[in-house]
PDB file of all heavy atoms in Angstrom:
ATOM      1  N   SER O   1     -17.286   7.051 -10.331  1.00  0.00           N
ATOM      2  CA  SER O   1     -17.583   6.288  -9.113  1.00  0.00           C
ATOM      3  C   SER O   1     -16.851   4.952  -9.077  1.00  0.00           C
ATOM      4  O   SER O   1     -16.821   4.303  -8.045  1.00  0.00           O
ATOM      5  CB  SER O   1     -19.091   6.043  -9.008  1.00  0.00           C
ATOM      6  OG  SER O   1     -19.511   5.182 -10.043  1.00  0.00           O
ATOM      7  N   GLY O   2     -16.299   4.524 -10.194  1.00  0.00           N
ATOM      8  CA  GLY O   2     -15.596   3.245 -10.251  1.00  0.00           C
ATOM      9  C   GLY O   2     -16.506   2.076 -10.540  1.00  0.00           C
ATOM     10  O   GLY O   2     -16.074   0.926 -10.515  1.00  0.00           O
ATOM     11  N   SER O   3     -17.784   2.360 -10.780  1.00  0.00           N
ATOM     12  CA  SER O   3     -18.704   1.266 -11.111  1.00  0.00           C
ATOM     13  C   SER O   3     -18.390   0.753 -12.513  1.00  0.00           C
ATOM     14  O   SER O   3     -17.952   1.495 -13.377  1.00  0.00           O
ATOM     15  CB  SER O   3     -20.155   1.729 -11.022  1.00  0.00           C
ATOM     16  OG  SER O   3     -20.409   2.700 -12.010  1.00  0.00           O
ATOM     17  N   THR O   4     -18.625  -0.519 -12.689  1.00  0.00           N
ATOM     18  CA  THR O   4     -18.332  -1.119 -13.990  1.00  0.00           C
ATOM     19  C   THR O   4     -19.556  -1.047 -14.887  1.00  0.00           C
ATOM     20  O   THR O   4     -20.689  -1.118 -14.429  1.00  0.00           O
ATOM     21  CB  THR O   4     -17.903  -2.585 -13.834  1.00  0.00           C
ATOM     22  OG1 THR O   4     -18.942  -3.300 -13.185  1.00  0.00           O
ATOM     23  CG2 THR O   4     -16.606  -2.684 -13.067  1.00  0.00           C
ATOM     24  N   MET O   5     -19.301  -0.938 -16.148  1.00  0.00           N
ATOM     25  CA  MET O   5     -20.370  -0.819 -17.123  1.00  0.00           C
ATOM     26  C   MET O   5     -21.020  -2.181 -17.385  1.00  0.00           C
ATOM     27  O   MET O   5     -22.222  -2.271 -17.572  1.00  0.00           O
ATOM     28  CB  MET O   5     -19.803  -0.243 -18.425  1.00  0.00           C
ATOM     29  CG  MET O   5     -20.835   0.090 -19.462  1.00  0.00           C
ATOM     30  SD  MET O   5     -20.124   1.003 -20.809  1.00  0.00           S
ATOM     31  CE  MET O   5     -19.252  -0.265 -21.660  1.00  0.00           C
ATOM     32  N   VAL O   6     -20.212  -3.224 -17.378  1.00  0.00           N
ATOM     33  CA  VAL O   6     -20.711  -4.569 -17.630  1.00  0.00           C
ATOM     34  C   VAL O   6     -20.152  -5.508 -16.570  1.00  0.00           C
ATOM     35  O   VAL O   6     -19.202  -5.183 -15.859  1.00  0.00           O
ATOM     36  CB  VAL O   6     -20.313  -5.069 -19.042  1.00  0.00           C
ATOM     37  CG1 VAL O   6     -21.038  -4.322 -20.122  1.00  0.00           C
ATOM     38  CG2 VAL O   6     -18.829  -4.975 -19.255  1.00  0.00           C
ATOM     39  N   ASP O   7     -20.716  -6.677 -16.492  1.00  0.00           N
ATOM     40  CA  ASP O   7     -20.275  -7.690 -15.544  1.00  0.00           C
ATOM     41  C   ASP O   7     -18.854  -8.152 -15.906  1.00  0.00           C
ATOM     42  O   ASP O   7     -18.447  -8.133 -17.068  1.00  0.00           O
ATOM     43  CB  ASP O   7     -21.251  -8.870 -15.597  1.00  0.00           C
ATOM     44  CG  ASP O   7     -20.945  -9.893 -14.525  1.00  0.00           C
ATOM     45  OD1 ASP O   7     -20.598  -9.488 -13.401  1.00  0.00           O
ATOM     46  OD2 ASP O   7     -21.046 -11.100 -14.829  1.00  0.00           O
ATOM     47  N   TYR O   8     -18.095  -8.597 -14.895  1.00  0.00           N
ATOM     48  CA  TYR O   8     -16.710  -9.018 -15.129  1.00  0.00           C
ATOM     49  C   TYR O   8     -16.634 -10.196 -16.095  1.00  0.00           C
ATOM     50  O   TYR O   8     -15.720 -10.274 -16.913  1.00  0.00           O
ATOM     51  CB  TYR O   8     -16.022  -9.378 -13.813  1.00  0.00           C
ATOM     52  CG  TYR O   8     -15.641  -8.169 -13.001  1.00  0.00           C
ATOM     53  CD1 TYR O   8     -16.257  -7.913 -11.797  1.00  0.00           C
ATOM     54  CD2 TYR O   8     -14.676  -7.286 -13.465  1.00  0.00           C
ATOM     55  CE1 TYR O   8     -15.916  -6.793 -11.048  1.00  0.00           C
ATOM     56  CE2 TYR O   8     -14.323  -6.165 -12.729  1.00  0.00           C
ATOM     57  CZ  TYR O   8     -14.950  -5.925 -11.521  1.00  0.00           C
ATOM     58  OH  TYR O   8     -14.613  -4.832 -10.791  1.00  0.00           O
ATOM     59  N   TRP O   9     -17.568 -11.131 -16.007  1.00  0.00           N
ATOM     60  CA  TRP O   9     -17.563 -12.269 -16.915  1.00  0.00           C
ATOM     61  C   TRP O   9     -17.775 -11.823 -18.346  1.00  0.00           C
ATOM     62  O   TRP O   9     -17.177 -12.363 -19.274  1.00  0.00           O
ATOM     63  CB  TRP O   9     -18.628 -13.283 -16.502  1.00  0.00           C
ATOM     64  CG  TRP O   9     -18.206 -14.091 -15.323  1.00  0.00           C
ATOM     65  CD1 TRP O   9     -18.646 -13.973 -14.048  1.00  0.00           C
ATOM     66  CD2 TRP O   9     -17.209 -15.124 -15.311  1.00  0.00           C
ATOM     67  NE1 TRP O   9     -18.010 -14.866 -13.232  1.00  0.00           N
ATOM     68  CE2 TRP O   9     -17.109 -15.594 -13.996  1.00  0.00           C
ATOM     69  CE3 TRP O   9     -16.394 -15.691 -16.283  1.00  0.00           C
ATOM     70  CZ2 TRP O   9     -16.241 -16.600 -13.619  1.00  0.00           C
ATOM     71  CZ3 TRP O   9     -15.529 -16.693 -15.915  1.00  0.00           C
ATOM     72  CH2 TRP O   9     -15.451 -17.140 -14.598  1.00  0.00           C
ATOM     73  N   GLN O  10     -18.621 -10.842 -18.535  1.00  0.00           N
ATOM     74  CA  GLN O  10     -18.851 -10.341 -19.888  1.00  0.00           C
ATOM     75  C   GLN O  10     -17.606  -9.642 -20.427  1.00  0.00           C
ATOM     76  O   GLN O  10     -17.287  -9.754 -21.615  1.00  0.00           O
ATOM     77  CB  GLN O  10     -20.048  -9.391 -19.908  1.00  0.00           C
ATOM     78  CG  GLN O  10     -21.361 -10.092 -19.694  1.00  0.00           C
ATOM     79  CD  GLN O  10     -22.508  -9.117 -19.562  1.00  0.00           C
ATOM     80  OE1 GLN O  10     -22.314  -7.940 -19.293  1.00  0.00           O
ATOM     81  NE2 GLN O  10     -23.723  -9.623 -19.765  1.00  0.00           N
ATOM     82  N   MET O  11     -16.904  -8.918 -19.555  1.00  0.00           N
ATOM     83  CA  MET O  11     -15.656  -8.281 -19.991  1.00  0.00           C
ATOM     84  C   MET O  11     -14.617  -9.322 -20.396  1.00  0.00           C
ATOM     85  O   MET O  11     -13.928  -9.170 -21.404  1.00  0.00           O
ATOM     86  CB  MET O  11     -15.086  -7.394 -18.872  1.00  0.00           C
ATOM     87  CG  MET O  11     -15.798  -6.091 -18.712  1.00  0.00           C
ATOM     88  SD  MET O  11     -14.875  -4.901 -17.736  1.00  0.00           S
ATOM     89  CE  MET O  11     -14.875  -5.640 -16.130  1.00  0.00           C
ATOM     90  N   ILE O  12     -14.514 -10.409 -19.609  1.00  0.00           N
ATOM     91  CA  ILE O  12     -13.544 -11.464 -19.918  1.00  0.00           C
ATOM     92  C   ILE O  12     -13.906 -12.139 -21.244  1.00  0.00           C
ATOM     93  O   ILE O  12     -13.050 -12.331 -22.110  1.00  0.00           O
ATOM     94  CB  ILE O  12     -13.478 -12.488 -18.764  1.00  0.00           C
ATOM     95  CG1 ILE O  12     -12.833 -11.842 -17.544  1.00  0.00           C
ATOM     96  CG2 ILE O  12     -12.711 -13.728 -19.186  1.00  0.00           C
ATOM     97  CD1 ILE O  12     -12.912 -12.669 -16.295  1.00  0.00           C
ATOM     98  N   PHE O  13     -15.188 -12.488 -21.406  1.00  0.00           N
ATOM     99  CA  PHE O  13     -15.606 -13.133 -22.646  1.00  0.00           C
ATOM    100  C   PHE O  13     -15.473 -12.206 -23.845  1.00  0.00           C
ATOM    101  O   PHE O  13     -15.136 -12.639 -24.937  1.00  0.00           O
ATOM    102  CB  PHE O  13     -17.043 -13.650 -22.537  1.00  0.00           C
ATOM    103  CG  PHE O  13     -17.152 -14.915 -21.739  1.00  0.00           C
ATOM    104  CD1 PHE O  13     -18.077 -15.022 -20.716  1.00  0.00           C
ATOM    105  CD2 PHE O  13     -16.335 -16.001 -22.008  1.00  0.00           C
ATOM    106  CE1 PHE O  13     -18.173 -16.189 -19.972  1.00  0.00           C
ATOM    107  CE2 PHE O  13     -16.431 -17.169 -21.277  1.00  0.00           C
ATOM    108  CZ  PHE O  13     -17.347 -17.261 -20.261  1.00  0.00           C
ATOM    109  N   PHE O  14     -15.726 -10.913 -23.633  1.00  0.00           N
ATOM    110  CA  PHE O  14     -15.575  -9.953 -24.720  1.00  0.00           C
ATOM    111  C   PHE O  14     -14.137  -9.945 -25.218  1.00  0.00           C
ATOM    112  O   PHE O  14     -13.874 -10.004 -26.416  1.00  0.00           O
ATOM    113  CB  PHE O  14     -15.975  -8.547 -24.251  1.00  0.00           C
ATOM    114  CG  PHE O  14     -15.718  -7.466 -25.257  1.00  0.00           C
ATOM    115  CD1 PHE O  14     -16.575  -7.270 -26.327  1.00  0.00           C
ATOM    116  CD2 PHE O  14     -14.600  -6.645 -25.150  1.00  0.00           C
ATOM    117  CE1 PHE O  14     -16.338  -6.287 -27.262  1.00  0.00           C
ATOM    118  CE2 PHE O  14     -14.356  -5.661 -26.082  1.00  0.00           C
ATOM    119  CZ  PHE O  14     -15.231  -5.491 -27.140  1.00  0.00           C
ATOM    120  N   ASN O  15     -13.206  -9.889 -24.274  1.00  0.00           N
ATOM    121  CA  ASN O  15     -11.792  -9.821 -24.651  1.00  0.00           C
ATOM    122  C   ASN O  15     -11.273 -11.154 -25.160  1.00  0.00           C
ATOM    123  O   ASN O  15     -10.430 -11.193 -26.048  1.00  0.00           O
ATOM    124  CB  ASN O  15     -10.966  -9.344 -23.464  1.00  0.00           C
ATOM    125  CG  ASN O  15      -9.771  -8.544 -23.896  1.00  0.00           C
ATOM    126  OD1 ASN O  15      -9.644  -8.179 -25.048  1.00  0.00           O
ATOM    127  ND2 ASN O  15      -8.887  -8.268 -22.974  1.00  0.00           N
ATOM    128  N   LEU O  16     -11.742 -12.257 -24.606  1.00  0.00           N
ATOM    129  CA  LEU O  16     -11.220 -13.561 -25.008  1.00  0.00           C
ATOM    130  C   LEU O  16     -11.822 -14.077 -26.307  1.00  0.00           C
ATOM    131  O   LEU O  16     -11.102 -14.519 -27.192  1.00  0.00           O
ATOM    132  CB  LEU O  16     -11.481 -14.591 -23.908  1.00  0.00           C
ATOM    133  CG  LEU O  16     -10.483 -14.630 -22.774  1.00  0.00           C
ATOM    134  CD1 LEU O  16     -10.896 -15.654 -21.747  1.00  0.00           C
ATOM    135  CD2 LEU O  16      -9.106 -14.959 -23.284  1.00  0.00           C
ATOM    136  N   PHE O  17     -13.119 -14.054 -26.420  1.00  0.00           N
ATOM    137  CA  PHE O  17     -13.765 -14.727 -27.539  1.00  0.00           C
ATOM    138  C   PHE O  17     -14.220 -13.786 -28.645  1.00  0.00           C
ATOM    139  O   PHE O  17     -13.936 -14.005 -29.809  1.00  0.00           O
ATOM    140  CB  PHE O  17     -14.955 -15.553 -27.044  1.00  0.00           C
ATOM    141  CG  PHE O  17     -14.550 -16.633 -26.091  1.00  0.00           C
ATOM    142  CD1 PHE O  17     -14.960 -16.595 -24.771  1.00  0.00           C
ATOM    143  CD2 PHE O  17     -13.743 -17.672 -26.501  1.00  0.00           C
ATOM    144  CE1 PHE O  17     -14.577 -17.591 -23.891  1.00  0.00           C
ATOM    145  CE2 PHE O  17     -13.353 -18.662 -25.624  1.00  0.00           C
ATOM    146  CZ  PHE O  17     -13.776 -18.624 -24.316  1.00  0.00           C
ATOM    147  N   PHE O  18     -14.934 -12.739 -28.277  1.00  0.00           N
ATOM    148  CA  PHE O  18     -15.575 -11.916 -29.290  1.00  0.00           C
ATOM    149  C   PHE O  18     -14.584 -11.074 -30.090  1.00  0.00           C
ATOM    150  O   PHE O  18     -14.787 -10.839 -31.269  1.00  0.00           O
ATOM    151  CB  PHE O  18     -16.632 -11.017 -28.655  1.00  0.00           C
ATOM    152  CG  PHE O  18     -17.687 -11.780 -27.919  1.00  0.00           C
ATOM    153  CD1 PHE O  18     -18.061 -11.429 -26.644  1.00  0.00           C
ATOM    154  CD2 PHE O  18     -18.307 -12.873 -28.504  1.00  0.00           C
ATOM    155  CE1 PHE O  18     -19.029 -12.139 -25.962  1.00  0.00           C
ATOM    156  CE2 PHE O  18     -19.280 -13.593 -27.836  1.00  0.00           C
ATOM    157  CZ  PHE O  18     -19.638 -13.222 -26.560  1.00  0.00           C
ATOM    158  N   THR O  19     -13.505 -10.632 -29.462  1.00  0.00           N
ATOM    159  CA  THR O  19     -12.573  -9.776 -30.198  1.00  0.00           C
ATOM    160  C   THR O  19     -11.196 -10.401 -30.395  1.00  0.00           C
ATOM    161  O   THR O  19     -10.362  -9.814 -31.064  1.00  0.00           O
ATOM    162  CB  THR O  19     -12.397  -8.420 -29.484  1.00  0.00           C
ATOM    163  OG1 THR O  19     -11.920  -8.658 -28.157  1.00  0.00           O
ATOM    164  CG2 THR O  19     -13.697  -7.665 -29.442  1.00  0.00           C
ATOM    165  N   SER O  20     -10.927 -11.559 -29.816  1.00  0.00           N
ATOM    166  CA  SER O  20      -9.612 -12.181 -30.005  1.00  0.00           C
ATOM    167  C   SER O  20      -9.595 -13.199 -31.134  1.00  0.00           C
ATOM    168  O   SER O  20      -8.570 -13.408 -31.762  1.00  0.00           O
ATOM    169  CB  SER O  20      -9.150 -12.865 -28.719  1.00  0.00           C
ATOM    170  OG  SER O  20      -8.888 -11.916 -27.738  1.00  0.00           O
ATOM    171  N   VAL O  21     -10.709 -13.831 -31.385  1.00  0.00           N
ATOM    172  CA  VAL O  21     -10.748 -14.853 -32.429  1.00  0.00           C
ATOM    173  C   VAL O  21     -10.520 -14.261 -33.824  1.00  0.00           C
ATOM    174  O   VAL O  21      -9.724 -14.806 -34.597  1.00  0.00           O
ATOM    175  CB  VAL O  21     -12.063 -15.656 -32.354  1.00  0.00           C
ATOM    176  CG1 VAL O  21     -12.199 -16.592 -33.530  1.00  0.00           C
ATOM    177  CG2 VAL O  21     -12.118 -16.421 -31.048  1.00  0.00           C
ATOM    178  N   PRO O  22     -11.159 -13.138 -34.184  1.00  0.00           N
ATOM    179  CA  PRO O  22     -10.907 -12.594 -35.532  1.00  0.00           C
ATOM    180  C   PRO O  22      -9.440 -12.252 -35.824  1.00  0.00           C
ATOM    181  O   PRO O  22      -8.933 -12.657 -36.866  1.00  0.00           O
ATOM    182  CB  PRO O  22     -11.802 -11.353 -35.591  1.00  0.00           C
ATOM    183  CG  PRO O  22     -12.881 -11.626 -34.627  1.00  0.00           C
ATOM    184  CD  PRO O  22     -12.256 -12.425 -33.524  1.00  0.00           C
ATOM    185  N   PRO O  23      -8.718 -11.552 -34.911  1.00  0.00           N
ATOM    186  CA  PRO O  23      -7.309 -11.295 -35.269  1.00  0.00           C
ATOM    187  C   PRO O  23      -6.450 -12.548 -35.292  1.00  0.00           C
ATOM    188  O   PRO O  23      -5.503 -12.625 -36.061  1.00  0.00           O
ATOM    189  CB  PRO O  23      -6.825 -10.306 -34.203  1.00  0.00           C
ATOM    190  CG  PRO O  23      -7.773 -10.409 -33.098  1.00  0.00           C
ATOM    191  CD  PRO O  23      -9.075 -10.844 -33.679  1.00  0.00           C
ATOM    192  N   LEU O  24      -6.788 -13.541 -34.470  1.00  0.00           N
ATOM    193  CA  LEU O  24      -6.018 -14.786 -34.509  1.00  0.00           C
ATOM    194  C   LEU O  24      -6.247 -15.526 -35.822  1.00  0.00           C
ATOM    195  O   LEU O  24      -5.300 -16.042 -36.421  1.00  0.00           O
ATOM    196  CB  LEU O  24      -6.380 -15.674 -33.321  1.00  0.00           C
ATOM    197  CG  LEU O  24      -5.879 -15.192 -31.960  1.00  0.00           C
ATOM    198  CD1 LEU O  24      -6.402 -16.082 -30.848  1.00  0.00           C
ATOM    199  CD2 LEU O  24      -4.370 -15.136 -31.923  1.00  0.00           C
ATOM    200  N   LEU O  25      -7.492 -15.586 -36.272  1.00  0.00           N
ATOM    201  CA  LEU O  25      -7.768 -16.213 -37.566  1.00  0.00           C
ATOM    202  C   LEU O  25      -7.129 -15.424 -38.706  1.00  0.00           C
ATOM    203  O   LEU O  25      -6.553 -15.995 -39.634  1.00  0.00           O
ATOM    204  CB  LEU O  25      -9.276 -16.328 -37.793  1.00  0.00           C
ATOM    205  CG  LEU O  25     -10.000 -17.376 -36.960  1.00  0.00           C
ATOM    206  CD1 LEU O  25     -11.497 -17.291 -37.186  1.00  0.00           C
ATOM    207  CD2 LEU O  25      -9.485 -18.758 -37.282  1.00  0.00           C
ATOM    208  N   PHE O  26      -7.225 -14.118 -38.618  1.00  0.00           N
ATOM    209  CA  PHE O  26      -6.613 -13.248 -39.621  1.00  0.00           C
ATOM    210  C   PHE O  26      -5.096 -13.452 -39.630  1.00  0.00           C
ATOM    211  O   PHE O  26      -4.466 -13.531 -40.683  1.00  0.00           O
ATOM    212  CB  PHE O  26      -6.969 -11.794 -39.309  1.00  0.00           C
ATOM    213  CG  PHE O  26      -6.451 -10.811 -40.297  1.00  0.00           C
ATOM    214  CD1 PHE O  26      -7.015 -10.697 -41.549  1.00  0.00           C
ATOM    215  CD2 PHE O  26      -5.384  -9.986 -39.978  1.00  0.00           C
ATOM    216  CE1 PHE O  26      -6.538  -9.782 -42.471  1.00  0.00           C
ATOM    217  CE2 PHE O  26      -4.896  -9.073 -40.883  1.00  0.00           C
ATOM    218  CZ  PHE O  26      -5.480  -8.976 -42.132  1.00  0.00           C
ATOM    219  N   GLY O  27      -4.504 -13.541 -38.442  1.00  0.00           N
ATOM    220  CA  GLY O  27      -3.054 -13.730 -38.326  1.00  0.00           C
ATOM    221  C   GLY O  27      -2.588 -15.087 -38.784  1.00  0.00           C
ATOM    222  O   GLY O  27      -1.436 -15.260 -39.161  1.00  0.00           O
ATOM    223  N   ALA O  28      -3.468 -16.079 -38.772  1.00  0.00           N
ATOM    224  CA  ALA O  28      -3.066 -17.419 -39.186  1.00  0.00           C
ATOM    225  C   ALA O  28      -3.361 -17.711 -40.655  1.00  0.00           C
ATOM    226  O   ALA O  28      -2.673 -18.515 -41.273  1.00  0.00           O
ATOM    227  CB  ALA O  28      -3.774 -18.449 -38.317  1.00  0.00           C
ATOM    228  N   LEU O  29      -4.364 -17.047 -41.227  1.00  0.00           N
ATOM    229  CA  LEU O  29      -4.813 -17.430 -42.551  1.00  0.00           C
ATOM    230  C   LEU O  29      -4.585 -16.395 -43.649  1.00  0.00           C
ATOM    231  O   LEU O  29      -4.810 -16.697 -44.819  1.00  0.00           O
ATOM    232  CB  LEU O  29      -6.309 -17.771 -42.503  1.00  0.00           C
ATOM    233  CG  LEU O  29      -6.704 -18.878 -41.522  1.00  0.00           C
ATOM    234  CD1 LEU O  29      -8.208 -19.026 -41.478  1.00  0.00           C
ATOM    235  CD2 LEU O  29      -6.035 -20.185 -41.883  1.00  0.00           C
ATOM    236  N   ASP O  30      -4.185 -15.187 -43.306  1.00  0.00           N
ATOM    237  CA  ASP O  30      -4.059 -14.124 -44.303  1.00  0.00           C
ATOM    238  C   ASP O  30      -2.876 -14.373 -45.231  1.00  0.00           C
ATOM    239  O   ASP O  30      -1.785 -14.729 -44.790  1.00  0.00           O
ATOM    240  CB  ASP O  30      -3.891 -12.778 -43.604  1.00  0.00           C
ATOM    241  CG  ASP O  30      -3.812 -11.636 -44.586  1.00  0.00           C
ATOM    242  OD1 ASP O  30      -4.622 -11.615 -45.523  1.00  0.00           O
ATOM    243  OD2 ASP O  30      -2.939 -10.762 -44.412  1.00  0.00           O
ATOM    244  N   LYS O  31      -3.095 -14.202 -46.517  1.00  0.00           N
ATOM    245  CA  LYS O  31      -2.039 -14.300 -47.526  1.00  0.00           C
ATOM    246  C   LYS O  31      -2.212 -13.100 -48.437  1.00  0.00           C
ATOM    247  O   LYS O  31      -3.051 -13.108 -49.333  1.00  0.00           O
ATOM    248  CB  LYS O  31      -2.159 -15.600 -48.312  1.00  0.00           C
ATOM    249  CG  LYS O  31      -1.934 -16.833 -47.481  1.00  0.00           C
ATOM    250  CD  LYS O  31      -2.092 -18.083 -48.298  1.00  0.00           C
ATOM    251  CE  LYS O  31      -1.889 -19.290 -47.402  1.00  0.00           C
ATOM    252  NZ  LYS O  31      -2.082 -20.538 -48.128  1.00  0.00           N
ATOM    253  N   ASP O  32      -1.415 -12.061 -48.213  1.00  0.00           N
ATOM    254  CA  ASP O  32      -1.588 -10.826 -48.968  1.00  0.00           C
ATOM    255  C   ASP O  32      -1.119 -10.940 -50.412  1.00  0.00           C
ATOM    256  O   ASP O  32      -1.645 -10.283 -51.294  1.00  0.00           O
ATOM    257  CB  ASP O  32      -0.895  -9.663 -48.256  1.00  0.00           C
ATOM    258  CG  ASP O  32       0.582  -9.909 -48.032  1.00  0.00           C
ATOM    259  OD1 ASP O  32       1.023 -11.066 -48.133  1.00  0.00           O
ATOM    260  OD2 ASP O  32       1.293  -8.931 -47.748  1.00  0.00           O
ATOM    261  N   VAL O  33      -0.126 -11.784 -50.658  1.00  0.00           N
ATOM    262  CA  VAL O  33       0.403 -11.986 -52.013  1.00  0.00           C
ATOM    263  C   VAL O  33       0.549 -13.489 -52.223  1.00  0.00           C
ATOM    264  O   VAL O  33       0.887 -14.217 -51.295  1.00  0.00           O
ATOM    265  CB  VAL O  33       1.770 -11.278 -52.184  1.00  0.00           C
ATOM    266  CG1 VAL O  33       2.298 -11.438 -53.584  1.00  0.00           C
ATOM    267  CG2 VAL O  33       1.683  -9.816 -51.810  1.00  0.00           C
ATOM    268  N   SER O  34       0.315 -13.948 -53.429  1.00  0.00           N
ATOM    269  CA  SER O  34       0.400 -15.384 -53.696  1.00  0.00           C
ATOM    270  C   SER O  34       1.852 -15.872 -53.613  1.00  0.00           C
ATOM    271  O   SER O  34       2.802 -15.095 -53.780  1.00  0.00           O
ATOM    272  CB  SER O  34      -0.173 -15.698 -55.079  1.00  0.00           C
ATOM    273  OG  SER O  34       0.677 -15.199 -56.083  1.00  0.00           O
ATOM    274  N   ALA O  35       1.996 -17.156 -53.369  1.00  0.00           N
ATOM    275  CA  ALA O  35       3.327 -17.750 -53.248  1.00  0.00           C
ATOM    276  C   ALA O  35       4.112 -17.638 -54.550  1.00  0.00           C
ATOM    277  O   ALA O  35       5.324 -17.395 -54.532  1.00  0.00           O
ATOM    278  CB  ALA O  35       3.204 -19.213 -52.833  1.00  0.00           C
ATOM    279  N   GLU O  36       3.449 -17.794 -55.666  1.00  0.00           N
ATOM    280  CA  GLU O  36       4.125 -17.710 -56.958  1.00  0.00           C
ATOM    281  C   GLU O  36       4.692 -16.310 -57.189  1.00  0.00           C
ATOM    282  O   GLU O  36       5.809 -16.149 -57.685  1.00  0.00           O
ATOM    283  CB  GLU O  36       3.158 -18.067 -58.099  1.00  0.00           C
ATOM    284  CG  GLU O  36       2.691 -19.501 -58.089  1.00  0.00           C
ATOM    285  CD  GLU O  36       1.551 -19.750 -57.095  1.00  0.00           C
ATOM    286  OE1 GLU O  36       0.844 -18.779 -56.727  1.00  0.00           O
ATOM    287  OE2 GLU O  36       1.397 -20.900 -56.662  1.00  0.00           O
ATOM    288  N   THR O  37       3.926 -15.290 -56.825  1.00  0.00           N
ATOM    289  CA  THR O  37       4.403 -13.910 -56.988  1.00  0.00           C
ATOM    290  C   THR O  37       5.589 -13.634 -56.078  1.00  0.00           C
ATOM    291  O   THR O  37       6.554 -12.988 -56.493  1.00  0.00           O
ATOM    292  CB  THR O  37       3.262 -12.917 -56.684  1.00  0.00           C
ATOM    293  OG1 THR O  37       2.137 -13.239 -57.502  1.00  0.00           O
ATOM    294  CG2 THR O  37       3.691 -11.493 -56.939  1.00  0.00           C
TER     295      THR O  37
END
């Protein structure tokens, strides 16, 4: 029917805050191997 499951604001916040912050933090802080190695 084209009806939405959740409100548009919730969809925007879901995509912006709830699921975007973890990959951004992961992308900025991850160090898979030490600098010395």
Side-chain angles (χ1 to χ4, degrees):
S1 67
S3 66
T4 58
M5 187 170 75
V6 291
D7 186 39
Y8 285 113
W9 283 105
Q10 290 174 341
M11 284 196 293
I12 291 171
F13 283 130
F14 174 78
N15 212 10
L16 277 178
F17 298 114
F18 302 132
T19 58
S20 292
V21 173
L24 289 175
L25 287 175
F26 183 73
L29 303 175
D30 182 45
K31 295 179 181 178
D32 57 344
V33 182
S34 70
E36 294 81 22
T37 306

